Amino acid sequence: MGTSNEDPYEMDSKTEVGSSSSEDGPRPDESSWGEPRAVYEHTATAHLQEMSRVLSQHSQRSRRGSQYDIESASHKRKGSVEVPAEEENWLENRLLEYTENKKKHRHPDKALGITFRDLSITGVSADSVLGTTVLSALDIVDHIQTARRPKPSKTIIHPVSGQVAAGEMLLVLGRPGSGCTSLLKVLANRRESFKDVYGEVTYAGMDHKEAGRYRGQIVINSEEELHFPTLTVGQTMDFALALKTPRLRFPGVTSDEFNQILKETILKMFAISHTTDTKVGNEYIRGVSGGERKRVSISEVVATRATCMCWDNSTRGLDASTALDYTKCLRILTDIMKSTNIVTLYQAGNKIYELFDKIMVLDGGRTIFFGPQPLARPYFEEMGFVCAPGANVADFLTGVTVKSEREVRPGYTVPDNAEEFEQRWLQSEIYRQQMQEMENRDNDPGLKEEALKEFKMAAVAEKAKRTPKLEPYTASLGKQIKACTTRQFQLMWGDKASIMMKQGSTVIQALIAGSLFYNLPPDTSGLFTRGGALFFAFLYNALLGMTEVTESFVGRPVMIKHSQFAFYRPSVLAIAQVVTDIPVLLFQLTHFSLVIYFMVGLKMNAGNFFIFYFVLFCGTMCMTAFFRMIGALSGTFDGASKVAGLGLTALIMYNGYLISKPSMHPWLSWIFWIDPIHYGYEALMVNEFHNMKFPCVGISLTPRGPSYLNSQYQGCGVPGAQEGSLVVDGDEYLALSFEYYHVHLWRNVGILLGFWALFLVLTMIGMERQKDIRAGASLVFRRPGPWFVRKLKHLFAKKAPVIDEKSNGTKLIQNKAVFTWDNLCYTVNVPGGTRQLLDDVKGWVKPGQLTALMGSSGAGKTTLLDVLAQRKDFGVITGEILIDGRPPNVSFQRSAGYCEQLDIHESTATVREALEFSALLRQPRTVSEADKLAYVEVIIDLLEMRDIEHALIGTPGAGLTVEQRKRLTIGVELAAKPEIVIFLDEPTSGLDGQSAFSTLRFMRKLAEAGQSVLCTIHQPSQSLFAQFDNLLLLARGGKTVYFGETGEKSQTLNSYFARHGAPCPADANPAEHMIDVVSGHSSQGRDWNQIWLESPEYQAVCAELKAMKQDLLSREPSTSEDQHEFAMPLWYQCKLVAKRTSVALYRNNDYISNKYMLHIASALFNGFTFWQIGDKVQDLQNVLFTVFNFIFVSPGVINQLQPLFLSRRDIFEAREKKSKMYSWKAFVFGLIVAEIPYLILCGILYFVCWYYTVGFPNKAGIAGAIVFQMVLFEFLYTGIGQFISAYAPNEYFASLTTPLLMGTLVSFCGVLVPYDGIQPFWRYWMYYLDPFNYLMGGLLVLPLWDKKVHCAKEELARFLPPVNQTCGTYLSTFIGEFGGYVVDPEMKAPGVCEVCKYSKGSDYLKTINLSKEMYGWRDIGITALFCVTSYCMVFLLMKLRSKKTKSAKAAE
């Protein structure tokens, strides 16, 4: 027995564990330290025996001394192991052995209690605010008043005191808005989202600042599921465990083996071992089920091995049995490890409630009870409240604050509000006892100091040796980088389609660019295009880095969560991303460089090629880091997109290609020196042009033609050419034209690397500063329009529909259809074969019946609803789904209501607008619009949403609450007046007990009114379960366990299970009992599906179903024979969808203002860069480039447009398309039409800010044509961005496709390569199919055609004229054919002729294939045709995508 000399708390790997035994077992107050024993002890209960068997054999081997069998450990990981029954009590012996060993080595306890005294929390008051609109953003007076007005504060938690000792569990109860989540956040030391926190919170004596150094030991599990959806469950857990591996482990077990054993234990403990290789998924990516995803979140928190854990509604989405198992796990963790657990739960069953030590009840942020769990119910009963027999005590405790729900004994006076409840509590004996207990513990500082000392020693001892003691992280910096890097590669591999798209697009772009610049001539005709090829090579790879802006926001919530768990420093993620970048970019640039370098015909020298490759690599790394830095330093995606767009515009313009250094104006030329693209482009240029000689040919040669063949009397009009020489030196050309020098090559490489390092450091700083500052939920109401808009609305407002309660009451929602399904099976393809999710399910729903669909998580409840509602678009469905004994017709999907588990809505719409939209589009066309709107009024009143009818739906945290969103989801389906059946998927999930009961009571009303309702439900209380008439119970694999009536007080159901050996105890909740029997710990391994198939009840169901179908076929169908796929005609759909989308854009001020600001800033930047362009030859090129620069406003706008398009498409495809609300044609039409006014304004704004600053002609005809062409371009690139989005599977894919397409269009528009330089293969078709070609023509011809040109001195061609001839005589033929002018036509030898190759703009335009003035208007017209074509592509690609999703196969 020995310990390491380095650390007295580290157990040597060869230490033999002592053995001892006790018949008494472990005492509850004894705790283990340091190890993840909490999880092992979880597995020791009778409910988790299988895991105990696996771990027991590991423990048995560890007790054999140094002969620990590692091979056997790896063997156990292959599956469950059967062991003799006598080994099932291994836990008691193992705990005593471990405790004795711990004491022998003086290992300290890692335990923390939490004490809070007079704790109060305040935040910014935001109960209800007005949403912003495009016009409200322009209200400067309102902005000034708002800025001067102090932000009102709101007290979220009023002074509250209490104590949770180590080894205790506290259940915090309260209705939504009571402050439960806020209290948990502060107790978990997460204070960032609150304005002020007063009072004292201590952790075994540490204040919150000191406790911040141990944030990995004090964690909170939020209600949201924050994961990377493309990672598998196993990868997610591997990452968490790798960063929390303690230095002290079981003897002889390496860190990898330890983590593997622990992962298997946790996954088995929460019954998700089967999901190890399944993606976590999210709303739009297929993965594990919602309940399984919740258990992944729980498993991740357990993997932190924290001492204090707060759990915010962590049973949401779990079935009753799983929720109980989870709470039992917490109980064992608390008892064995002496951890501290604080939990908020909704709809907690009595078995769950009884597992807690203490209860806190909040109402309106005030404490109305805090004390031992056994005293909570009697406290309120003595006050006069009645707790019904069998009721959930937790629901009773929260229900006492709801006047409509509580029951008071006669003769008792009870509190009416939170203040009165609080006063009763402060005057109670229990309150005094709790305060006295706190005082007694505080008066024993020695005990507290000893506990704190042991905790700190334990926290330090479990850290890796290289981890600083003052940091909260367990893993060393190197291990953090390794884990994050591994995860980055896994994320890339999990989204293989995007990776393949990125590499494929790079190869395609290289081939296109290589063929465009193919085999450039080594003379002056290739000078400009050679620079263009290098510019394109650098720019394209830099543009690919823009995807990092989007990626930084996608992963940010997960990064913040992991930082709070102390998994890794956020800055480590930046390093891991760089490490991941290197091999990916090396591969990407290898095939890109090999293609483009040799196809273009750059210097055939190995040294020059590898310099080219290295500079590209450094530049791409630098620009990737630049965009990543913008994302890290920005608070919002819109803000980041704006900065990225403007930054990219500036960097492209001032790199020296679009405007050369000598032509830059002094007020903005400083950008040239801080532009990383400039340094990379200069390095590429000098590498290529150094020591090259370019013969002067083509238009560079003056004069030229058959009459001028004597080179003695010719000159070269290219900078760098010497008088009397027809050869241009490459170095001279770069020096005179760009001020580029070869000596700067390696200096520039160093500067690029310096920029990369700077951007990396700033990214790390930005990531370290990112915090979770989300405040509590607030209602956002629709902002009234300006006074004149309100006046117009008042004048033209339609009269409100009159609500006739008799005609529009509950009888409007009746139906008579009987919905049946028989032998229903559903199979999907999975890696390695197929998986059956539904197995021979049968049943029915009749009018007036409320049927529950229940089962454990993953049993196929949601799958069955999707199949019944015809919402599946993949897999194979067999069996019968009938309505009144007949197959569903084309209108079934819109005639049946389906309330999905995920509340998907248009966030900018109000509650009323969402309901009216559903009613107008889904109710039959035979119903008048007035009746539809009148029915909406009924729904608003039935759902009790009158007070929030004008509230914007918003997003969680900035809009409706979870309960309000759930009610709206139900309302949207009811507004459609479903004629057949209403499907509801977990309508009570995430609701408190009172809200859940209200929802079920409303569903009960629907059933009583004649509606057919089929509803999945999790964790129903006894009172909730009693609302249902029938039950369909499923086991894993979609196998039926029971279908039939529940009976009065569930007697029919209970008698069925009692007959088969599973009676329901008198005090048990039948809903919880049956789930536990079927799939929980009471199943005893029995096949309940087989029991059902052999039961008389099953035979009765089959017989009744057969008779029912025959009877229904003999009668007339009760549903109308509506053969319309959509309720309303297409024109009406287009009108309503366009209206909704227009309103959504009007309320999306961030999107519109960013669009405007990007245009204004880009236009001003462009205009002042090319300020008042002169009349030199270089100025003609400047005109070309200032027009060309207008194109680059499009990437930034498209980058903002595409996520918005895709989010709306997700809403359409996830809910509105499947419910046949409207056609994809109306969807596309609405998106196109809504953008039109803003696009026109954007074009005008750019024109006003740019046209006059560059000095273009003031003629109205020219200016009008230019502004028209600019507006057309707004439509053109918007159509391009939308048709890419229409078919792209996700945002990342769209962000990769856009540079590929835009790069191709930019390449062939005649700017980078003039018309004559384009290879014949492309010249005669691609050039003419490129819309940007006609854009450039429409913007160039009219302002340039008649512009006079005066050459600068360095632009003149100089040469001697022939003897006895004047310059004018000698050059007359040349001037007549090619244009230009002679400075002094009378000059004779020995004087020098000075010739300018252009005399007016038309001479220049003819060199770029714009030979006639009418081409300007021609190109404007063709641009307009391309606008129409781009929008047609949006319709076409959306159609192809819509057709692709209809791939489900239904077997006959």
Side-chain angles (χ1 to χ4, degrees):
M1 184 88 56
T3 58
S4 170
N5 294 328
E6 296 183 27
D7 193 332
Y9 307 113
E10 181 173 8
M11 184 182 296
D12 195 300
S13 60
K14 296 183 179 179
T15 300
E16 179 175 339
V17 182
S19 61
S20 63
S21 62
S22 173
E23 295 178 359
D24 298 329
R27 295 183 298 274
D29 59 342
E30 279 189 84
S31 62
S32 301
W33 163 77
E35 312 297 336
R37 293 292 301 164
V39 179
Y40 286 105
E41 271 63 43
H42 281 138
T43 65
T45 66
H47 304 283
L48 300 167
Q49 290 179 359
E50 191 62 29
M51 277 166 290
S52 298
R53 294 189 185 104
V54 176
L55 292 172
S56 66
Q57 290 204 348
H58 292 298
S59 298
Q60 291 288 341
R61 287 173 174 79
S62 68
R63 288 198 290 272
R64 293 169 189 160
S66 59
Q67 304 301 320
Y68 186 88
D69 189 355
I70 296 177
E71 292 183 5
S72 296
S74 62
H75 172 71
K76 299 297 181 300
R77 293 192 288 271
K78 297 178 181 178
S80 61
V81 181
E82 295 294 336
V83 296
E86 59 267 18
E87 292 191 8
E88 292 181 6
N89 63 347
W90 67 272
L91 175 65
E92 298 178 358
N93 294 330
R94 177 60 177 144
L95 280 178
L96 288 176
E97 292 168 2
Y98 191 84
T99 303
E100 183 178 332
N101 190 53
K102 179 194 68 175
K103 291 179 179 178
K104 193 172 296 184
H105 290 275
R106 300 191 306 276
H107 291 167
D109 286 322
K110 191 178 70 168
L112 279 181
I114 300 179
T115 302
F116 46 99
R117 194 184 301 275
D118 297 325
L119 173 65
S120 64
I121 306 169
T122 62
V124 176
S125 180
D127 285 339
S128 61
V129 297
L130 294 178
T132 58
T133 64
V134 172
L135 292 180
S136 71
L138 303 177
D139 192 343
I140 299 175
V141 175
D142 181 64
H143 290 320
I144 294 174
Q145 292 175 347
T146 302
R148 296 178 61 183
R149 190 184 307 125
K151 293 183 178 180
S153 297
K154 173 188 176 183
T155 302
I156 302 172
I157 295 290
H158 294 268
V160 56
S161 300
Q163 189 174 62
V164 188
E168 287 186 343
M169 289 175 63
L170 168 66
L171 175 61
V172 182
L173 297 173
R175 301 204 68 205
S178 296
C180 299
T181 298
S182 298
L183 177 63
L184 256 65
K185 283 186 175 181
V186 172
L187 294 182
N189 215 11
R190 306 287 181 260
R191 301 179 172 219
E192 300 87 359
S193 58
F194 304 106
K195 183 179 180 181
D196 292 300
V197 178
Y198 302 102
E200 180 184 64
V201 181
T202 59
Y203 306 86
M206 292 187 295
D207 62 17
H208 71 276
K209 292 182 179 179
E210 185 180 3
R213 299 207 307 263
Y214 303 95
R215 70 169 181 265
Q217 302 296 336
I218 309 168
V219 301
I220 182 171
N221 178 40
S222 64
E223 190 172 358
E224 301 92 346
E225 312 304 328
L226 302 176
H227 300 284
F228 287 110
T230 57
L231 290 183
T232 66
V233 173
Q235 290 169 342
T236 302
M237 291 301 299
D238 286 338
F239 179 79
L241 292 168
L243 293 171
K244 283 293 184 177
T245 307
R247 191 156 36 120
L248 298 176
R249 296 181 293 274
F250 287 152
V253 181
T254 66
S255 60
D256 290 339
E257 291 172 339
F258 175 85
N259 289 336
Q260 182 66 21
I261 296 170
L262 186 53
K263 180 180 77 171
E264 292 182 356
T265 302
I266 295 176
L267 295 182
K268 286 183 179 180
M269 173 174 36
F270 294 112
I272 51 175
S273 298
H274 61 285
T275 67
T276 302
D277 297 322
T278 306
K279 288 183 179 181
V280 176
N282 60 12
E283 296 90 334
Y284 308 110
I285 297 177
R286 287 179 59 194
V288 298
S289 69
E292 289 168 340
R293 193 176 302 120
K294 170 61 72 176
R295 282 178 274 167
V296 173
S297 298
I298 295 171
S299 300
E300 189 178 43
V301 176
V302 171
T304 65
R305 302 181 308 104
T307 306
C308 298
M309 291 182 280
C310 298
W311 307 84
D312 186 15
N313 199 14
S314 49
T315 60
R316 179 184 178 184
L318 301 183
D319 62 83
S321 178
T322 305
L324 178 59
D325 285 345
Y326 151 73
T327 313
K328 286 181 178 179
C329 290
L330 289 188
R331 178 73 266 172
I332 301 169
L333 174 67
T334 305
D335 291 340
I336 302 298
M337 294 295 294
K338 297 196 72 172
S339 64
T340 305
N341 285 276
I342 305 174
V343 185
T344 64
L345 294 178
Y346 287 155
Q347 304 179 52
N350 288 336
K351 289 185 178 180
I352 293 176
Y353 173 83
E354 292 165 0
L355 292 171
F356 288 88
D357 300 296
K358 292 181 177 178
I359 303 296
M360 172 179 278
V361 185
L362 298 178
D363 180 30
R366 300 177 184 272
T367 308
I368 64 175
F369 180 84
F370 175 79
Q373 174 259 119
L375 301 181
R377 175 175 173 175
Y379 170 77
F380 287 101
E381 288 181 327
E382 291 173 4
M383 197 180 293
F385 296 101
V386 177
C387 182
N392 280 359
V393 178
D395 291 344
F396 162 71
L397 297 180
T398 55
V400 297
T401 63
V402 185
K403 294 181 181 181
S404 60
E405 303 289 340
R406 66 191 187 184
E407 182 181 352
V408 183
R409 292 180 190 170
Y412 281 80
T413 302
V414 297
D416 284 334
N417 52 51
E419 291 82 358
E420 294 181 10
F421 271 109
E422 184 182 44
Q423 289 302 315
R424 287 281 190 100
W425 161 245
L426 295 177
Q427 297 168 8
S428 68
E429 180 63 25
I430 301 177
Y431 171 75
R432 287 191 288 271
Q433 291 175 0
Q434 293 301 306
M435 294 303 103
Q436 185 61 47
E437 183 181 339
M438 289 175 58
E439 291 294 332
N440 293 340
R441 293 187 179 182
D442 289 343
N443 291 334
D444 190 354
L447 180 63
K448 184 184 296 184
E449 290 176 3
E450 182 63 25
L452 180 58
K453 179 181 178 181
E454 289 200 15
F455 167 78
K456 290 183 177 180
M457 294 172 63
V460 171
E462 73 174 10
K463 295 177 183 291
K465 293 181 179 179
R466 295 183 180 86
T467 302
K469 293 183 179 180
L470 297 181
E471 286 193 352
Y473 309 104
T474 302
S476 64
L477 182 63
K479 188 155 188 179
Q480 293 177 36
I481 295 174
K482 178 183 177 183
C484 289
T485 303
T486 302
R487 187 184 64 176
Q488 288 301 114
F489 281 113
Q490 290 171 342
L491 286 170
M492 286 194 299
W493 189 248
D495 190 13
K496 291 185 283 293
S498 296
I499 291 295
M500 294 172 63
M501 173 63 190
K502 187 173 186 177
Q503 300 306 318
S505 65
T506 302
V507 173
I508 293 171
Q509 193 64 68
L511 289 170
I512 293 174
S515 59
L516 175 68
F517 297 100
Y518 183 72
N519 201 20
L520 291 177
D523 51 40
T524 56
S525 64
L527 272 179
F528 179 73
T529 50
R530 193 172 294 266
L534 295 173
F535 175 71
F536 178 83
F538 192 95
L539 181 63
Y540 176 76
N541 289 284
L543 284 175
L544 288 180
M546 283 194 74
T547 58
E548 293 300 324
V549 176
T550 303
E551 288 298 299
S552 65
F553 286 89
V554 171
R556 179 173 297 182
V558 179
M559 185 201 72
I560 293 174
K561 180 184 77 168
H562 286 172
S563 174
Q564 293 173 346
F565 287 171
F567 282 168
Y568 56 86
R569 297 192 67 93
S571 54
V572 165
L573 181 59
I575 298 174
Q577 289 172 330
V578 170
V579 175
T580 311
D581 288 340
I582 293 174
V584 174
L585 291 181
L586 285 175
F587 177 75
Q588 173 183 316
L589 292 173
T590 296
H591 54 69
F592 179 85
S593 300
L594 287 173
V595 172
I596 199 169
Y597 192 92
F598 295 104
M599 287 188 70
V600 171
L602 301 177
K603 269 186 179 178
M604 293 301 169
N605 180 284
N608 292 105
F609 170 76
F610 284 109
I611 291 174
F612 170 86
Y613 179 83
F614 184 64
V615 171
L616 271 190
F617 175 76
C618 294
T620 306
M621 289 283 290
C622 180
M623 293 306 298
T624 300
F626 171 75
F627 291 115
R628 193 173 285 152
M629 173 198 70
I630 291 175
L633 295 176
S634 300
T636 64
F637 175 74
D638 288 326
S641 298
K642 189 188 304 181
V643 173
L646 293 175
L648 182 63
T649 300
L651 297 184
I652 290 175
M653 191 176 297
Y654 278 88
N655 70 84
Y657 176 72
L658 294 183
I659 179 170
S660 60
K661 178 63 174 66
S663 300
M664 295 179 185
H665 294 287
W667 52 76
L668 290 175
S669 61
W670 55 270
I671 300 176
F672 177 80
W673 300 109
I674 62 170
D675 185 352
I677 297 181
H678 145 232
Y679 294 102
Y681 181 59
E682 181 182 6
L684 293 178
M685 290 285 280
V686 298
N687 176 61
E688 176 65 22
F689 282 77
H690 182 54
N691 290 333
M692 286 192 71
K693 306 295 182 181
F694 298 92
C696 196
V697 298
I699 62 173
S700 302
L701 196 61
T702 305
R704 60 186 180 275
S707 303
Y708 306 95
L709 301 178
N710 191 340
S711 61
Q712 183 180 353
Y713 304 113
Q714 291 178 310
C716 190
V718 176
Q722 301 297 320
E723 184 178 326
S725 173
L726 296 183
V727 176
V728 177
D729 180 74
D731 292 306
E732 287 293 324
Y733 168 74
L734 293 182
L736 293 174
S737 299
F738 301 95
E739 295 186 6
Y740 288 174
Y741 304 96
H742 184 261
V743 294
H744 292 168
L745 173 60
W746 293 109
R747 179 208 71 173
N748 287 7
V749 172
I751 292 175
L752 272 181
L753 294 175
F755 270 118
W756 168 78
L758 173 65
F759 296 151
L760 175 59
V761 170
L762 291 176
T763 302
M764 295 169 68
I765 293 173
M767 287 182 167
E768 289 286 348
R769 293 170 60 88
Q770 288 170 6
K771 304 293 182 184
D772 183 7
I773 57 173
R774 293 172 297 173
S778 60
L779 285 176
V780 183
F781 282 86
R782 183 187 65 192
R783 179 181 291 271
W787 65 270
F788 57 87
V789 176
R790 296 198 296 270
K791 185 70 175 176
L792 289 174
K793 283 186 175 180
H794 177 72
L795 290 174
F796 296 100
K798 298 179 181 178
K799 295 184 70 174
V802 178
I803 306 173
D804 183 355
E805 294 293 341
K806 294 182 179 179
S807 62
N808 294 305
T810 55
K811 82 178 174 181
L812 284 182
I813 54 175
Q814 293 179 354
N815 71 70
K816 299 179 180 179
V818 177
F819 185 73
T820 63
W821 58 95
D822 192 9
N823 300 323
L824 199 60
C825 297
Y826 178 57
T827 306
V828 296
N829 294 322
V830 296
T834 60
R835 178 181 298 169
Q836 188 164 8
L837 301 182
L838 297 177
D839 186 2
D840 196 18
V841 183
K842 56 186 64 184
W844 59 80
V845 182
K846 296 179 181 180
Q849 290 186 347
L850 182 59
T851 302
L853 174 56
M854 297 184 66
S856 63
S857 297
K861 302 181 296 297
T862 300
T863 301
L864 177 58
L865 284 191
D866 287 342
V867 170
L868 292 176
Q870 295 187 359
R871 301 298 177 95
K872 287 296 184 185
D873 51 13
F874 56 89
V876 178
I877 303 169
T878 60
E880 287 184 334
I881 299 176
L882 304 175
I883 302 169
D884 287 338
R886 299 163 179 84
N889 60 27
V890 70
S891 65
F892 169 70
Q893 285 178 262
R894 63 175 171 81
S895 300
Y898 189 2
C899 302
E900 298 187 66
Q901 182 178 350
L902 301 172
D903 302 311
I904 301 174
H905 298 283
E906 168 56 56
S907 61
T908 59
T910 66
V911 170
R912 169 176 287 279
E913 289 167 351
L915 296 173
E916 290 180 348
F917 188 75
S918 177
L920 292 172
L921 285 176
R922 288 182 62 187
Q923 289 190 27
R925 60 186 70 187
T926 55
V927 181
S928 69
E929 185 173 304
D931 286 341
K932 293 178 181 179
L933 295 179
Y935 189 68
V936 169
E937 302 295 331
V938 176
I939 298 301
I940 290 176
D941 289 331
L942 285 175
L943 291 173
E944 300 175 355
M945 303 183 80
R946 182 66 63 182
D947 57 329
I948 59 170
E949 62 178 321
H950 296 301
L952 300 180
I953 297 171
T955 55
L960 302 184
T961 64
V962 173
E963 185 260 346
Q964 290 167 339
R965 293 171 72 87
K966 185 65 67 177
R967 276 192 286 160
L968 176 62
T969 300
I970 297 172
V972 166
E973 294 304 314
L974 292 179
K977 208 168 7 174
E979 299 179 351
I980 301 170
V981 64
I982 298 178
F983 302 104
L984 300 103
D985 191 9
E986 297 186 26
T988 62
S989 181
L991 305 184
D992 65 294
Q994 285 69 44
S995 299
F997 186 78
S998 297
T999 302
L1000 258 295
R1001 186 174 56 188
F1002 175 70
M1003 291 162 54
R1004 181 73 258 171
K1005 288 181 181 179
L1006 292 179
E1008 291 173 352
Q1011 187 63 266
S1012 302
V1013 182
L1014 178 61
C1015 166
T1016 67
I1017 190 166
H1018 275 168
Q1019 306 178 45
S1021 64
Q1022 192 165 341
S1023 59
L1024 289 183
F1025 189 64
Q1027 301 292 322
F1028 291 96
D1029 301 300
N1030 297 324
L1031 169 69
L1032 173 57
L1033 183 60
L1034 298 179
R1036 184 169 295 279
K1039 299 177 183 294
T1040 304
V1041 172
Y1042 179 83
F1043 176 71
E1045 295 181 359
T1046 56
E1048 183 71 21
K1049 296 184 179 181
S1050 305
Q1051 291 179 356
T1052 305
L1053 177 66
N1054 289 341
S1055 65
Y1056 171 81
F1057 282 101
R1059 285 203 320 271
H1060 295 93
C1064 179
D1067 59 343
N1069 180 351
E1072 296 179 359
H1073 170 72
M1074 67 180 182
I1075 295 294
D1076 191 45
V1077 167
V1078 172
S1079 55
H1081 312 303
S1082 301
S1083 64
Q1084 304 171 357
R1086 302 175 66 185
D1087 187 348
W1088 285 94
N1089 172 248
Q1090 190 61 36
I1091 293 173
W1092 164 251
L1093 295 178
E1094 296 172 354
S1095 69
E1097 286 84 357
Y1098 173 74
Q1099 302 301 325
V1101 166
C1102 294
E1104 184 173 354
L1105 185 59
K1106 182 178 180 181
M1108 189 185 303
K1109 289 191 290 186
Q1110 293 175 349
D1111 179 59
L1112 292 171
L1113 281 173
S1114 65
R1115 294 186 296 180
E1116 289 293 322
S1118 59
T1119 56
S1120 58
E1121 289 296 328
D1122 186 353
Q1123 295 302 320
H1124 298 288
E1125 182 180 7
F1126 301 98
M1128 302 303 294
L1130 182 60
W1131 69 267
Y1132 191 84
Q1133 298 173 37
C1134 291
K1135 183 184 79 169
L1136 281 191
V1137 174
K1139 178 183 176 181
R1140 183 182 73 162
T1141 311
S1142 298
V1143 170
L1145 280 187
Y1146 174 72
R1147 292 174 181 162
N1148 192 346
N1149 179 59
D1150 286 340
Y1151 172 73
I1152 298 299
S1153 63
N1154 284 348
K1155 187 190 288 276
Y1156 287 161
M1157 291 304 299
L1158 187 58
H1159 278 80
I1160 293 172
S1162 297
L1164 291 174
F1165 193 79
N1166 190 3
F1168 281 96
T1169 295
F1170 295 95
W1171 173 262
Q1172 297 299 313
I1173 297 174
D1175 55 4
K1176 299 181 295 184
V1177 172
Q1178 178 61 44
D1179 290 326
L1180 297 176
Q1181 186 122 326
N1182 287 343
V1183 171
L1184 174 71
F1185 281 131
T1186 190
V1187 170
F1188 182 61
N1189 193 64
F1190 174 50
I1191 292 176
F1192 290 100
V1193 75
S1194 58
V1197 180
I1198 290 176
N1199 201 37
Q1200 298 174 31
L1201 176 149
Q1202 288 178 331
L1204 187 65
F1205 187 104
L1206 289 168
S1207 68
R1208 299 196 187 287
R1209 192 193 70 186
D1210 288 339
I1211 294 174
F1212 170 68
E1213 292 185 339
R1215 183 170 63 87
E1216 294 169 342
K1217 184 182 80 169
K1218 293 178 178 179
S1219 63
K1220 298 295 182 181
M1221 187 176 288
Y1222 56 88
S1223 167
W1224 63 269
K1225 303 182 188 73
F1227 169 75
V1228 174
F1229 178 83
L1231 284 173
I1232 292 174
V1233 170
E1235 291 273 3
I1236 289 177
Y1238 305 106
L1239 297 179
I1240 294 173
L1241 188 55
C1242 282
I1244 294 173
L1245 286 174
Y1246 198 102
F1247 170 83
V1248 171
C1249 297
W1250 167 76
Y1251 186 85
Y1252 299 103
T1253 55
V1254 296
F1256 276 10
N1258 290 326
K1259 294 181 180 179
I1262 296 177
I1266 296 301
V1267 71
F1268 181 60
Q1269 179 75 331
M1270 295 178 78
V1271 170
L1272 287 178
F1273 178 63
E1274 298 291 331
F1275 288 100
L1276 177 64
Y1277 77 72
T1278 300
I1280 292 173
Q1282 287 181 335
F1283 79 63
I1284 292 173
S1285 302
Y1287 201 74
N1290 51 47
E1291 292 181 21
Y1292 185 70
F1293 195 92
S1295 65
L1296 289 176
T1297 307
T1298 301
L1300 173 63
L1301 182 58
M1302 296 295 288
T1304 302
L1305 296 179
V1306 166
S1307 301
F1308 289 99
C1309 70
V1311 176
L1312 296 180
V1313 181
Y1315 175 77
D1316 291 334
I1318 299 176
Q1319 295 298 317
F1321 173 77
W1322 297 112
R1323 185 190 308 165
Y1324 298 115
W1325 68 280
M1326 190 63 191
Y1327 173 82
Y1328 291 103
L1329 291 178
D1330 189 342
F1332 288 4
N1333 163 35
Y1334 302 100
L1335 170 72
M1336 295 296 297
L1339 294 175
L1340 284 173
V1341 172
L1342 297 179
L1344 269 186
W1345 188 263
D1346 295 322
K1347 184 181 179 70
K1348 299 295 183 182
V1349 179
H1350 298 89
C1351 278
K1353 185 176 181 180
E1354 64 273 11
E1355 295 172 339
L1356 296 170
R1358 295 179 176 85
F1359 52 89
L1360 292 172
V1363 179
N1364 299 326
Q1365 288 192 44
T1366 64
C1367 292
T1369 304
Y1370 173 62
L1371 294 170
S1372 59
T1373 304
F1374 171 78
I1375 297 296
E1377 183 176 356
F1378 297 103
Y1381 68 90
V1382 182
V1383 175
D1384 185 359
E1386 303 301 323
M1387 179 64 68
K1388 294 184 178 180
V1392 177
C1393 293
E1394 294 181 323
V1395 183
C1396 183
K1397 56 184 175 181
Y1398 306 128
S1399 62
K1400 58 182 181 177
S1402 58
D1403 298 335
Y1404 170 72
L1405 291 174
K1406 291 174 183 177
T1407 65
I1408 57 176
N1409 200 38
L1410 295 171
S1411 55
K1412 296 180 181 179
E1413 187 175 9
M1414 56 84 63
Y1415 281 7
W1417 285 105
R1418 180 205 69 176
D1419 288 354
I1420 291 175
I1422 295 176
T1423 303
L1425 291 177
F1426 271 108
C1427 292
V1428 175
T1429 304
S1430 67
Y1431 284 127
C1432 289
M1433 287 293 294
V1434 184
F1435 281 96
L1436 175 63
L1437 291 175
M1438 193 66 196
K1439 168 63 177 174
L1440 293 176
R1441 178 178 176 84
S1442 297
K1443 186 176 181 180
K1444 180 181 178 182
T1445 59
K1446 299 175 183 177
S1447 58
K1449 301 175 183 178
E1452 296 296 336

